[in-house]
Amino acid sequence: MLKMMQRIIQEVNAAHSAQEALHIVVERVCEAIGVEACSIFVLDRSTHRYMLIASRGFREGVNGVISLAEDQGLVGLVGQREEPINLNNASVHPNYHYIPRTGEEKYKAFLGVPIIHQRRVLGVLVAQQTKARIFGADEEAFLVTISTQLSDLIAHAQSAGVLSRSTNQTDKRIVGIPGVSGVAIGTAVIAYPLASLDAVPDRKVKDIAVEIDIFNKALVRTREEIKMLSERLSHHLPLEEQDLFDAYLRILDNESLGIEVIAVIKQGQWAQGALKQVIAHHSRLYEEMDDAYLRERGADLRDIGRRVLSYLQADAREKIIYPERAVLMGDEITPARLAEAPREKVVAIVTAKGSINSHVVIIARAMGIPTIIGAEGLLLSDLENKPVIVDAYHGVVYIDPSKTLLEEFARLEAEEKELSRSLEKLHGVPAQTPDGYRIPLYVNTGLVGDIQASLSVGAEGVGLYRTEVPFMVRDRFPSEEEQRIIYRQLLEAFTPRPVTMRTLDIGGDKVLPYFPIEEPNPFLGWRGIRITLDHPEIFLVQVRAMIHASKDCNNLQIMLPMITSLHEVIDAKVLITRAYEELREEGHDVVMPKIGAMIEVPSAVYQAELIAQQVDFLSVGSNDLIQYILAVDRNNFRVANLYEGLHPAIINALLHIVRAAHAQDKKVSLCGEMAGDPTCAILLLAMGFDSLSMSSASLPRVKWVIRNFNLSRAQELLQEVLLMHHSKAIRTHLEKALEESGLGGLIRAGK
Ligand code: PEP
Ligand code: MG
């Protein structure tokens, strides 16, 4: 059975369409448990009917035509009970309802199992046989297992609208994950992958010098192309993001990719084959990495490989004609691909792959292009030149939308533009409530941030500088001087505004390629301060670089991540003081920075007051705090619906932290994603946080809320919310309050 199951799963995964996959399932179920009929019904919630979408053993032409009412027949009963029904002779069951025109009256034995996805019944899977018999426990278990596999498949197919003929959906939708919020209406332009490296065959050559020459020429042309693309984007991108293209150029350097490919050519392989081998080897290494950021670098490498290949193949690149409002869609869109498109014409981006760490999202955010990632079920060939609507607030793409939907979104889009214009005007004004409460708004930089954008939105400082990035993009630890130069840029750009630098926070999902950590449970393992205290040489070099960099700027604050016990704070302070004293002894006129602790682990919540006593400030890392308090992996999409900052337990924890800090007369900030969510921000304001730190893209919206929402009203809401027991109810309550204050446009499309 297990072998059979694995075979079915493999075949289903390899299917080219949802229909083909469903067909495979009904065929294989019949073979596996020796029945004559197998059928799949999918529930259409708009018509309350089960539609037959795939079958074997029924008459021809019934799929997509036959349907049953939601409460009709044994199919309806399986759906209602949400459990299998196993009958010797279905026709004598009181709920039996012969489905006309299918020819199913000859079947007696009946086994129906529900298909359930995220607690909701999606459909029913049925096996039938002429001979009356009860199905064995292993057969029942087999069908239940198949149905769990089917649930993901059907859920995706439904959201992609590919079952729409049978399920009667009106507007076809593809659902993904919001990457950069906003709405846009446009025409789909498909960014097909460049030349395919996988399709290149191995081929032996005799004239090695000629192959090397061909390869070198292709390399030069690719380098020129990347330089040109980089220049084209330079007007739209802040400096930090432009480094990305330098990374591309470094890969293309003769000393790196060049040397390796030429070595393979010298073994007698032709240039195309040698390139394929080298790229495949390296991208496999990247793909095996646990770290999401580094995995994305594998995509960059493959993109470069395809570009070089297209020159090797001397293919005239297909010229894309961009419509005035292009929605760039693709399986995988790389930054270079985005750069090829004229900026003024791209109104949105939709990709099937990618994560919020992917470079294309970082760049799209900097350029303000609404983006959806992880849009599974993107059937690219069907979409070319189709009108589409992108709602990147909810992660929904509407394909070929109806006139009504188009009109609705055109209105929302116009209102969005109006809102953006108003937000731009906020640059120079303080974040102050109408009743006079002022709260500084800071930015988070590092992985997703940039100096230029932060300054242009009027950030009053940096609340979190994630120092991991300079460590991630190298193949060894950066030296003290290298670090000092990087830190100096930030400190200088912001002076006299405070810059809070977090000491190295690796481990968890952030692993350095040259410092591998293999652990079964990395989020509960060697992470953050635990690593750096175990390696004082790394810690000391980093804090020396920070303090040295702050000379004359005097705006540095150092922040310690993943604090779980008081002694970690004490030990880290000893090292920071040592670094400071060393620098003074060496004759550098530096000042001792303020030191803060991050509260992002439940134990630190309970010890918050003791920790506050030891430091100058606290900062809540709500991204981790939520994951550790709720025991919900912050990167796992299966439990993403349980990851909720407005959970009553989190609200209580946050309130406790603020009180603990203030009891010690210390400032407390919050620098997780919650701070950038306008709905959460009003509660944080009421709780008494002294500052909030968020991505530069979120800052104008939060400032807008603060400038339009009275502290007194926020405090009333906090009291109301503290009496509530469920996250959903809390969110709805707060959203309603925002709507009533005319601020609904900040949490959804439109004004
Ligand atoms: C956090 O955990 O909330 C935080 C700000 O840090 P990071 O997201 O880098 O873990
Ligand atoms: Mg954290």
Side-chain angles (χ1 to χ4, degrees), residues 41 115 186 188 190 194 232 268 292 299 309 391-392 449 459 469 480 500 556 562 626:
F41 293 83
I115 303 167
I190 309 301
L194 299 165
R232 192 189 288 179
L309 181 68
D391 176 357
V469 181
E480 183 177 328
T500 315
L556 168 69
M562 266 300 278
I626 296 169

Side-chain angles (χ1 to χ4, degrees), residues 464 466 502 505 510 527 561-562 598 600 621-625 627-628 634:
L464 165 66
R466 293 181 165 103
R502 179 173 71 184
D505 187 19
K510 283 179 267 174
R527 239 204 110 174
M562 266 300 278
M598 287 190 79
E600 43 185 355
S622 57
N623 303 341
D624 277 314
L625 189 62
Q627 97 163 331
Y628 290 125
R634 60 192 266 189

Side-chain angles (χ1 to χ4, degrees), residues 718-737:
L718 175 62
Q719 292 314 316
E720 287 157 18
V721 155
L722 283 172
L723 299 174
M724 298 170 80
H725 299 165
H726 302 284
S727 338
K728 253 204 192 118
I730 294 174
R731 190 166 280 278
T732 312
H733 191 64
L734 294 172
E735 284 178 356
K736 200 165 141 249

Side-chain angles (χ1 to χ4, degrees), residues 634-650:
R634 60 192 266 189
N635 295 323
N636 182 345
F637 74 94
R638 281 187 208 283
V639 286
N641 58 333
L642 303 177
Y643 186 92
E644 174 55 272
L646 291 175
H647 190 293
I650 305 291

Side-chain angles (χ1 to χ4, degrees), residues 529-591:
I529 197 78
R530 300 173 185 178
I531 296 182
T532 46
L533 284 180
D534 283 352
H535 280 282
E537 74 286 14
I538 299 174
F539 190 82
L540 277 169
V541 164
Q542 185 176 39
V543 292
R544 272 180 60 100
M546 288 176 178
I547 300 174
H548 193 175
S550 71
K551 195 174 161 193
D552 302 328
C553 293
N554 303 340
N555 55 346
L556 168 69
Q557 309 198 123
I558 294 182
M559 185 158 80
L560 309 167
M562 266 300 278
I563 294 293
T564 42
S565 303
L566 200 59
H567 73 83
E568 291 164 337
V569 181
I570 296 170
D571 294 351
K573 271 174 58 183
V574 169
L575 291 174
I576 296 172
T577 311
R578 196 197 311 166
Y580 162 73
E581 282 168 357
E582 278 172 15
L583 285 160
R584 300 276 314 177
E585 277 163 25
E586 289 163 25
H588 301 292
D589 189 15
V590 291
V591 299

Side-chain angles (χ1 to χ4, degrees), residues 679 682 708-709 713-714 717 720 730-744 747:
T679 315
I682 47 174
N708 288 282
F709 210 88
R713 176 71 187 119
L717 278 171
E720 287 157 18
I730 294 174
R731 190 166 280 278
T732 312
H733 191 64
L734 294 172
E735 284 178 356
K736 200 165 141 249
L738 283 178
E739 287 283 359
E740 282 166 4
S741 311
L743 297 168
I747 45 170

